[in-house]
Amino acid sequence: MIIVDYLKKSFFVAIWFMFLTFPIMVIRVDSIEGIVEWRWQNMLLVGIGSFILSLVGRYIRIKQEKAARSVQKGRVQQLKSSLLIDPKMYLPGLALISLLVLVFPFLFSVYQTNIMTTALMYIVLGLGLNIVVGLAGLLDLGYVAFYAVGAYCYALLNHHFGLSFWLALPLGALLGALFGIVLGFPVLRLRGDYLAIVTLGFGEIIRLVLENWNEFSFGPSGIANIDRPNFFGIDMSLNESIIALYYMMVCLVLFSIFMVNRLQSSRIGRAWIALREDEIACQAMGIDKTKTKLTAFALGATWAGMVGVIFAAKTTFVNPASFTFLESAIILSIVVLGGMGSIVGVVVGALVLILLPEYLRAFSDYRMLLFGAIMVIMMVFRPQGIIGNVRKSYLFQEKKG
Amino acid sequence: MEYFLELFFSGLTRGSIYALIALGYTMVYGIIGLINFAHGEIYMIGAFTALIVASVLTVLGFNQLAILLCAGFAAVVYSSAYGYTVEKIAYKPLRNAPRLSPLISAIGMSIFLQNYVLLAQTSDFMPFPALIPEFEFMEPYAHIVGSSELVIFLVTTLVMVLLTLLIKFSSIGKAMRATAQDKKMAMLLGIDVNKIISITFVIGSALAAIGGLLIASHIGQINFYIGFIAGIKAFTAAVLGGIGSIPGAVLGSFILGWTESFATGYISSDYEDVFAFSILVLILIFKPAGLLGRDKTKKV
């Protein structure tokens, strides 16, 4: 009986969606020629598609509810958390992954390596934003601004003064941090969503200035022919330098993971988490709110500045179109999709979100559509992210004997 | 002086459109505390529906008034339906999720809807027929304020008045205010909170559709991306006035409209959006809850 009920509900959903998509999916007008094209087959497709999706969605919901009720879930949860905590469980996996990472450029083509480098860049960006959003709980929608600052820092200095990549890298990081503090100061008093919109505005301001201030940033045409990084003065072909950049990114990812992990359990990291959980209680415990928030902004922006420099060096070309709001949204999605505050989550999230569109190129027209849909579906069915953050807990063990 | 007036009226027009969209943001935020990122897309879909209906009717040879009414009706109905559906799919299952989840879901929805229209229609700018007629009595003032600008302002004012009446005096309005104040208490008093939230989305979407139809007819072309910029601007306006507050959204919209209009007219048109965001940052620094927003003191 229940099944009939579900079929009936899904049928109505299908009818509703056929109605909903009617003008946009079915009719196409060429207003210059005055021809109306009716695409009825689309309506049929929408009907069938939404019917199946609605059934699948209902099925997953029921399963989830059942799982929540049964004891089984406890065991799965246990297995998963022990997979992340117990060295015996994760060491072999880690060894396998590191081996794969090391030999990746030799197994796959240069094109694949290049994509992987991009994914690694987003891992670092995600880790940086994770400090601001995941740990300190400050919703930053303009993170890409710091990324742009780093990229333009290297691009401009290289263009005018021929500054080398290795000098620009710390400089970009520093400049990112500086901008983080500059933005951080005025917005400290703002809470939650106000902060979100101001950071969004800030990101847009940076992009628009870069687009319009032609004398400074060369406007929308951007800056081309930026030097690739030079590794120990070795002359390298294009392919070799892509592989070298890949290894450099691997090192940077490891460094970032190490740093963020250390930061997380440090005094300042715990202050961020406290601030995220309850601002008032946190202040009552004697934590300096201003300083804590500013360090979160500055440290988050540092990573973005650094990756910005690498981005400019990797593509050898920057223009403002690379730093739109969509980019901020993607980085934020990496953090949230992976699981806020969780380092493993950010890594997985970045790999999924960056590699997925690349390999969805087969359906290249539909990849942004699917990207949006996956974000929604993911949030609806698993709001805590792919890998939820495992809170650090300390186990008291009695001395034996 | 003439130039000043021209800019003044162009700012008023912009402000009216922002206000129509900003109201949707602020009402939804007031009730469930969510930045509905997909709201700009609802506005875009309203404009597209109006365009499609108007084009079909033009081909079939209807007269202008009938086209305007049908296009407007279709835009409102379809936008409301989309707003309702988006809420049911992307936000309702997330009522009790962590605060950022519905936001991500909203951003995903926005990307999805943009690409849906891009794929189903076209990525090019589409010419939008001028649905609003040129009035003869406006002829002498045409260089300062156009007929469509007048219509936009009048329609917006009418809609605002109706909305205010609805919220102040109708039972739905009362239920909406109660839900915004305290969801649990409203539920205890027998208000169907889910229904009220749906109604809020429907009203907000309908307003956005009216805005979409009016501005598309005024500017004369649309593409799938118009919703994003308009959405962000309108949201800025809502925050400027104090998000959650309806008069605040209107005030913020007009301030934003005039700022943009005067800044582009007297300073430089390249930095139009920079001015908009700068004024937002400035106001929030000095008044963190927006112009008319109440600064909530959190009790422990």
Side-chain angles (χ1 to χ4, degrees):
Chain A
M1 222 39 232
I2 293 176
I3 294 170
V4 175
D5 196 38
Y6 282 140
L7 284 176
K8 214 160 90 189
K9 271 190 187 152
S10 296
F11 176 72
F12 284 121
V13 168
I15 297 280
W16 173 251
F17 273 96
M18 277 155 81
F19 160 74
L20 206 60
T21 52
F22 170 68
I24 288 174
M25 290 285 281
V26 175
I27 310 171
R28 178 144 62 184
V29 188
D30 191 335
S31 47
I32 300 161
E33 306 268 326
I35 306 165
V36 183
E37 183 191 348
W38 301 87
R39 300 170 293 177
W40 293 109
Q41 74 278 12
N42 282 347
M43 192 175 211
L44 198 68
L45 285 179
V46 167
I48 297 169
S50 52
F51 181 74
I52 294 171
L53 282 181
S54 155
L55 267 186
V56 172
R58 266 171 231 282
Y59 177 71
I60 295 176
R61 276 249 158 259
I62 298 168
K63 267 225 145 160
Q64 266 188 342
E65 271 164 30
K66 265 195 192 146
R69 261 181 269 137
S70 69
V71 205
Q72 198 110 45
K73 200 194 169 196
R75 256 188 30 224
V76 175
Q77 204 86 39
Q78 232 173 26
L79 187 76
K80 209 183 317 159
S81 56
S82 68
L83 209 64
L84 290 178
I85 290 171
D86 189 5
K88 257 189 219 141
M89 301 288 280
Y90 75 73
L91 271 183
L94 210 60
L96 195 71
I97 292 172
S98 12
L99 193 71
L100 191 69
V101 167
L102 277 181
V103 298
F104 189 89
F106 304 107
L107 286 182
F108 296 96
S109 67
V110 174
Y111 172 71
Q112 308 281 356
T113 313
N114 214 359
I115 292 175
M116 203 37 125
T117 312
T118 312
L120 291 174
M121 277 166 48
Y122 277 90
I123 292 181
V124 179
L125 283 173
L127 286 171
L129 188 63
N130 192 27
I131 295 178
V132 187
V133 180
L135 294 181
L138 304 164
L139 181 52
D140 185 350
L141 290 182
Y143 191 62
V144 79
F146 307 122
Y147 185 38
V149 165
Y152 268 89
C153 161
Y154 178 48
L156 286 172
L157 288 175
N158 185 269
H159 182 84
H160 292 302
F161 308 109
L163 196 79
S164 87
F165 171 78
W166 296 104
L167 268 173
L169 198 60
L171 213 62
L174 208 68
L175 213 62
L178 199 71
F179 267 79
I181 294 172
V182 167
L183 168 69
F185 252 119
V187 302
L188 277 176
R189 295 204 300 156
L190 303 177
R191 293 178 57 92
D193 305 297
Y194 289 97
L195 184 75
I197 187 71
V198 171
T199 48
L200 196 160
F202 179 75
E204 286 293 295
I205 288 177
I206 295 263
R207 186 179 65 81
L208 289 165
V209 167
L210 288 176
E211 205 155 88
N212 291 311
W213 192 4
N214 290 329
E215 301 79 42
F216 173 71
S217 67
F218 302 97
S221 51
I223 303 166
N225 294 327
I226 304 165
D227 288 342
R228 286 174 184 284
N230 181 321
F231 292 95
F232 314 111
I234 306 167
D235 267 332
M236 275 193 278
S237 67
L238 183 63
N239 284 357
E240 280 168 344
S241 94
I242 286 174
I243 293 172
L245 199 67
Y246 168 79
Y247 281 117
M248 199 203 78
M249 258 337 282
V250 171
C251 293
L252 186 66
V253 167
L254 289 178
F255 173 68
S256 316
I257 291 178
F258 173 74
M259 282 301 282
V260 173
N261 197 18
R262 298 300 291 169
L263 272 172
Q264 227 170 36
S265 15
S266 73
R267 196 180 172 79
I268 184 83
R270 281 175 286 137
W272 287 333
I273 295 172
L275 198 72
R276 175 188 74 190
E277 297 296 323
D278 193 327
E279 213 163 279
I280 296 169
C282 169
Q283 273 179 299
M285 299 304 289
I287 292 168
D288 185 350
K289 197 173 93 179
T290 314
K291 215 172 82 185
T292 315
K293 277 190 181 174
L294 273 184
T295 43
F297 258 111
L299 279 172
T302 309
W303 299 116
M306 208 144 56
V307 182
V309 174
I310 297 171
F311 171 78
K314 175 176 172 279
T315 53
T316 70
F317 170 73
V318 289
N319 78 340
S322 313
F323 307 106
T324 53
F325 168 69
L326 186 69
E327 206 72 14
S328 285
I330 288 175
I331 303 170
L332 184 67
S333 315
I334 286 173
V335 175
V336 179
L337 209 62
M340 275 208 296
S342 148
I343 294 176
V344 187
V346 169
V347 174
V348 175
L351 291 179
V352 169
L353 272 191
I354 302 306
L355 298 184
L356 202 67
E358 292 297 338
Y359 293 111
L360 281 179
R361 265 188 210 286
F363 327 71
S364 62
D365 288 343
Y366 298 96
R367 69 197 182 108
M368 282 316 282
L369 189 81
L370 285 173
F371 183 69
I374 288 171
M375 272 164 81
V376 176
I377 292 167
M378 193 63 211
M379 282 302 110
V380 170
F381 290 108
R382 212 180 148 74
Q384 72 272 41
I386 300 172
I387 296 173
N389 188 18
V390 186
R391 261 296 185 65
K392 208 163 225 147
S393 52
Y394 298 93
L395 214 63
F396 176 69
Q397 275 171 331
E398 237 173 307
K399 252 187 200 164
K400 276 180 194 151
Chain B
M1 192 60 205
E2 227 163 60
Y3 189 52
F4 174 83
L5 279 179
E6 196 187 321
L7 291 177
F8 178 85
F9 284 116
S10 123
L12 201 65
T13 315
R14 274 169 196 251
S16 306
I17 299 298
Y18 289 153
L20 283 174
I21 309 169
L23 280 170
Y25 275 111
T26 216
M27 277 163 49
V28 165
Y29 190 91
I31 284 201
I32 53 174
L34 162 78
I35 305 175
N36 180 9
F37 253 102
H39 191 62
E41 266 45 75
I42 302 287
Y43 151 89
M44 179 266 293
I45 282 175
F48 257 94
T49 311
L51 169 66
I52 290 164
V53 171
S55 314
V56 170
L57 292 183
T58 312
V59 172
L60 294 179
F62 279 73
N63 75 358
Q64 201 172 12
L65 189 67
I67 292 176
L68 177 64
L69 290 179
C70 287
F73 181 72
V76 167
V77 167
Y78 269 97
S79 279
S80 308
Y82 271 97
Y84 175 82
T85 314
V86 164
E87 195 267 334
K88 281 277 177 281
I89 292 178
Y91 308 142
K92 191 163 169 249
L94 292 172
R95 280 291 148 70
N96 300 315
R99 208 176 54 86
L100 278 181
S101 305
L103 191 76
I104 300 294
S105 166
I107 294 174
M109 209 32 146
S110 162
I111 295 175
F112 179 85
L113 287 177
Q114 267 178 30
N115 285 280
Y116 155 70
V117 173
L118 165 74
L119 290 172
Q121 294 289 324
T122 169
S123 61
D124 302 329
F125 270 102
M126 290 172 98
F128 199 97
L131 294 176
I132 302 169
E134 293 290 332
F135 301 122
E136 266 173 44
F137 67 87
M138 288 296 291
E139 206 70 26
Y141 314 104
H143 56 294
I144 297 173
V145 49
S147 302
S148 60
E149 285 180 300
L150 183 78
V151 171
I152 288 175
F153 180 65
L154 289 179
V155 170
T156 309
T157 317
L158 182 72
V159 168
M160 302 283 156
V161 170
L162 286 178
L163 185 73
T164 315
L165 290 178
L166 177 85
I167 286 176
K168 274 252 160 78
F169 299 110
S170 74
S171 61
I172 291 177
K174 270 183 201 157
M176 274 164 75
R177 278 182 290 148
T179 312
Q181 257 178 22
D182 191 332
K183 229 189 290 174
K184 244 182 221 154
M185 192 63 210
M187 226 185 277
L188 281 175
L189 291 174
I191 291 170
D192 186 347
V193 170
N194 280 332
K195 202 177 98 190
I196 293 299
I197 292 173
S198 290
I199 290 175
T200 310
F201 271 88
V202 166
I203 294 176
S205 307
L207 295 179
I210 296 172
L213 170 77
L214 291 175
I215 194 71
S217 163
H218 178 60
I219 290 178
Q221 56 175 8
I222 56 173
N223 77 346
F224 72 99
Y225 202 60
I226 55 165
F228 179 72
I229 313 267
I232 285 193
K233 292 276 187 62
F235 182 61
T236 305
V239 173
L240 200 65
I243 193 152
S245 145
I246 287 176
V250 178
L251 180 68
S253 302
F254 284 121
I255 290 180
L256 193 70
W258 277 319
T259 310
E260 278 186 12
S261 170
F262 286 125
T264 36
Y266 287 122
I267 307 172
S268 154
S269 63
D270 289 343
Y271 290 101
E272 178 189 323
D273 297 352
V274 175
F275 291 120
F277 290 122
S278 304
I279 194 153
L280 171 84
V281 174
L282 276 180
I283 287 190
L284 285 184
I285 288 171
F286 294 109
K287 216 161 170 338
L291 286 173
L292 297 186
R294 248 173 297 153
D295 206 355
K296 273 186 212 145
T297 332
K298 214 173 152 195
K299 284 182 192 146
V300 187

